[in-house]
């Protein structure tokens, strides 16, 4: 895994799609670079009185189609290249689903599990203050990602608002509903994964009822995707956290697993009806659908051949490397790619922002039905272009996304001055 640079993945994918689109390098060269990158050193007062300094980032890959948009990650492996890749994926994700945003991403290199609540608040307030000069409701709008939550977004909104002297709800999405958060935002990415899985299954002429599903992850995206897919009749046979996973070929008792996790207990201490497996074993299970919903770089050249699922629905950002993608394509695996399948969250973030700007409140039914329309239409466009050009769904999604971003650049009059 060492030496892996996710931004190289991004550049390779852009080149591949741009070649199919017949673009000249000058038309898309700027997409291989981020527009603006900020690196901050965040000092935090710890509970014992000491001061620790954490590396923080905010990268805006593109604002050609609208303000930058993307989450904030708190994870020990956050680094500049990762944030840059994640920000580019946001540009293409927003373009695929046709919402008026560019792409951005932020992160802090920290293990949030080692911080107290007070230290988390201190970190969030100081990091927000340090990135405040480049964020704003018309500039760059953060949201939750790995290791952050609605509560953290509430602190971010408050800090930014204190600096401005008035409450600015639209500076961040994924807030608690009581603070202008969209109802349904917490579940939105997992809901989008479920909708994408259903669309992939239907496009292949199959039925979700009784299909076996392995979900990698146990966080916001993974747990909601698992619950909603089970509600649609799929059998969730495996799930995992960062350390280990659970497997039951007859279907896991999700209620019991979720209750175990509620108490922040690791899955390895689960004593219910399931076999303990590793994350690597989960990825290689003989299932109908594999939904990687944890972090990037999980399906790689060294393990792609072991994948036995026929359908992969990527809830995480960048779970499959370019090399692994080629191996899976040769094996005939149908992949609903991250920039499509994980777009439910940013889509409902867009709904939240629209509501904040207009001081409106939509019902959960309205949010969910609008989300379904956008996800269904995006899936259909990607499926159709992939069939037409005889390419994978991933390449199809990039064809749509890159075309939209390049056209935006050209309609704005091209590179200025
Ligand atoms: P989360 O923090 O709630 O959950 C992350 C999960 O990943 C946890 O279950 C954790 O145990 C697992 N994990 C962490 N390190 C791991 C490792 N080394 N190996 C295996 N598992 C590991 O985060 P989330 O919001 O559910 O995000 C999950 C993925 O979905 C990320 O790739 C994120 O970028 C992407 N995503 C999230 C959203 C959103 O709205 N939250 C939107 C789009 C995409």
């Amino acid at each position: 895994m060492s030496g892996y640079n996710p931004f190289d993945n991004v550049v390779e994918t852009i080149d591949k799609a741009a070649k199919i689109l017949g673009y000249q390098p000058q038309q898309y060269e700027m997409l291989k670079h981020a527009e603006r990158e900020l690196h901050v050193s965040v000092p935090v007062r710890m509970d014992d009185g000491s001061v620790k300094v954490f590396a923080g980032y905010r990268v805006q890959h593109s604002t050609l189609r609208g303000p930058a948009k993307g989450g904030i990650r708190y994870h020990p492996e956050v680094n500049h290249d990762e944030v840059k890749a994640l920000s580019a994926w946001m540009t293409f994700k927003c373009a695929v689903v046709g919402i008026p945003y560019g792409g951005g991403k932020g992160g802090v290199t920290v293990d949030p599990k080692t911080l107290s609540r007070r230290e988390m608040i201190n970190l969030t307030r100081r990091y927000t203050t340090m990135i405040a000069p480049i964020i704003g409701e018309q500039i760059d709008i953060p949201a939750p990602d790995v290791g952050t939550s609605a509560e953290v977004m509430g602190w971010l909104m408050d800090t930014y608002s204190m600096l401005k002297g008035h409450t600015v709800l639209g500076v961040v999405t994924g807030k608690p509903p009581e603070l202008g958060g969209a109802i349904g935002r917490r579940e939105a990415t997992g809901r989008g994964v479920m909708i994408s899985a259903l669309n992939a299954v239907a496009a292949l002429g199959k039925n979700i009822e009784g299909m076996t599903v392995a979900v990698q992850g146990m966080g916001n995206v993974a747990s909601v995707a698992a619950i909603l897919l089970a509600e649609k009749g799929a059998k969730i046979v495996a799930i995992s956290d960062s350390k280990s996973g659970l497997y039951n070929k007859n279907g896991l008792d999700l209620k019991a697993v979720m209750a175990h996790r509620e108490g922040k207990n690791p899955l390895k201490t689960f004593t219910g009806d399931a076999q303990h497996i590793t994350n690597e074993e989960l990825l290689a299970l003989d299932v109908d659908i594999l939904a990687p919903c944890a972090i990037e770089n999980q399906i790689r050249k060294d393990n792609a051949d072991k994948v036995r699922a026929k359908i992969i629905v990527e809830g995480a950002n960048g779970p499959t490397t370019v090399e692994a993608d080629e191996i899976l394509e040769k094996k005939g695996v149908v992949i609903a790619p991250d920039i499509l399948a994980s777009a439910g969250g940013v889509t409902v973030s867009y709904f939240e922002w629209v509501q904040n700007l207009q001081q409106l409140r939509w019902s959960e039914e309205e949010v969910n039905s609008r989300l379904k329309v956008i996800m269904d239409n995006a899936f259909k466009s990607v499926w159709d272009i992939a069939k037409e050009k005889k390419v994978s769904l991933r390449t199809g999604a990039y064809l749509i996304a890159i075309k939209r971003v390049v056209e935006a650049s050209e309609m704005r009059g091209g590179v200025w001055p």
Side-chain angles (χ1 to χ4, degrees):
M1 273 209 247
S2 67
Y4 164 76
N5 180 344
F7 197 74
D8 292 344
N9 246 359
V10 175
V11 171
E12 253 183 80
T13 317
I14 294 173
D15 277 332
K16 189 171 162 188
K19 201 167 156 203
I20 300 174
L21 288 163
Y23 284 155
Q24 297 302 311
Q26 66 269 22
Q27 287 178 281
Y28 69 95
E29 178 61 27
M30 70 277 194
L31 300 182
K32 293 159 88 175
H33 305 264
E35 275 177 25
R36 183 148 65 168
E37 306 178 27
L38 179 63
H39 177 185
V40 292
S41 300
V42 191
V44 176
R45 172 84 53 203
M46 308 301 281
D47 290 346
D48 65 3
S50 66
V51 170
K52 274 196 188 160
V53 181
F54 299 93
Y57 308 87
R58 185 73 195 172
V59 175
Q60 294 160 0
H61 172 257
S62 172
T63 54
L64 283 166
R65 297 185 62 261
K69 184 89 190 82
I72 289 174
R73 179 174 292 198
Y74 288 174
H75 191 274
E77 275 150 41
V78 162
N79 61 68
H80 176 210
D81 287 324
E82 182 190 66
V83 177
K84 203 166 144 190
L86 287 162
S87 74
W89 286 325
M90 288 308 298
T91 301
F92 302 124
K93 193 183 287 191
C94 294
V96 160
V97 290
I99 56 176
Y101 288 134
K105 202 84 182 190
V108 177
T109 313
V110 61
D111 183 353
K113 288 189 215 113
T114 63
L115 300 185
S116 69
R117 188 180 142 80
R118 173 48 53 198
E119 289 165 346
M120 275 286 269
I121 296 176
N122 290 351
L123 171 72
T124 303
R125 289 203 182 279
R126 186 66 186 230
Y127 168 70
T128 304
T129 307
M130 295 176 92
I131 65 166
I134 66 161
I135 63 170
E137 62 182 359
Q138 299 295 342
I139 306 166
D140 179 359
I141 306 130
D145 191 70
V146 175
T148 56
S149 60
E151 190 180 30
V152 174
M153 298 306 112
W155 303 332
L156 192 158
M157 189 279 289
D158 182 71
T159 309
Y160 185 83
S161 299
M162 290 296 133
L163 294 170
K164 290 283 158 192
H166 59 98
T167 295
V168 189
L169 292 181
V171 67
V172 61
T173 58
K175 302 178 292 294
E178 297 77 6
L179 281 180
I183 302 169
R185 172 61 184 89
R186 194 187 65 77
E187 298 83 5
T189 309
R191 180 172 292 277
V193 171
M194 177 273 284
I195 296 171
S196 303
L198 257 51
N199 279 327
V201 166
L204 293 167
K206 299 185 175 166
N207 188 337
I208 193 80
E209 196 74 36
M211 275 193 160
T212 52
V213 183
V215 179
Q216 189 195 25
M218 194 59 233
N220 172 279
V221 180
S223 55
V224 175
I227 290 167
L228 295 182
L229 277 164
E231 273 175 26
K232 295 290 172 191
K235 203 193 286 178
I236 311 301
V237 295
I239 203 155
S240 66
D241 61 19
S242 62
K243 300 279 179 301
S244 68
L246 296 174
Y247 174 63
N248 182 334
K249 71 175 182 350
N250 300 316
L252 292 167
D253 178 353
L254 281 183
K255 267 206 183 118
V257 177
M258 299 297 164
H260 181 77
R261 274 297 283 190
E262 276 296 285
K264 301 225 182 299
N265 304 303
L267 289 182
K268 64 172 186 283
T269 62
F270 182 76
T271 52
D273 187 12
Q275 193 184 320
H276 290 265
I277 57 171
T278 63
N279 264 295
E280 280 298 309
E281 286 166 342
L282 181 144
L283 297 172
L285 285 173
D286 188 8
V287 287
D288 296 308
I289 302 176
L290 171 63
C293 298
I295 54 165
E296 66 271 9
N297 195 26
Q298 295 303 293
I299 309 176
R300 304 169 304 269
K301 191 167 72 173
D302 58 289
N303 64 0
D305 220 18
K306 299 193 189 116
V307 170
R308 285 185 283 170
K310 291 114 205 138
I311 301 172
I312 296 180
V313 184
E314 297 182 339
N317 283 304
T320 311
T321 65
V322 171
E323 292 141 327
D325 208 36
E326 283 162 10
I327 297 170
L328 295 170
E329 205 178 329
K330 281 200 193 107
K331 283 170 60 147
V333 181
V334 171
I335 306 178
D338 51 2
I339 61 166
L340 172 67
S342 75
V346 73
T347 302
V348 175
S349 272
Y350 165 55
F351 298 162
E352 179 171 328
W353 180 72
V354 165
Q355 291 171 76
N356 290 159
L357 295 184
Q358 299 182 78
Q359 303 185 343
L360 281 175
R361 196 103 180 111
W362 299 355
S363 68
E364 187 168 5
E365 293 69 40
E366 186 162 5
V367 167
N368 290 347
S369 71
R370 283 177 186 258
L371 171 64
K372 184 164 160 36
V373 170
I374 289 183
M375 295 297 294
D376 286 351
N377 288 343
F379 187 91
K380 186 172 177 334
S381 316
V382 170
W383 183 268
D384 289 350
I385 198 165
K387 289 286 142 240
E388 184 198 323
K389 303 273 185 198
K390 297 191 174 41
V391 293
S392 67
L393 295 180
R394 187 183 316 278
T395 304
Y398 273 94
L399 292 180
I400 293 176
I402 290 175
K403 189 161 183 278
R404 286 185 178 157
V405 181
V406 168
E407 280 177 357
S409 162
E410 289 173 356
M411 283 177 211
R412 292 172 70 135
V415 173
W416 185 80

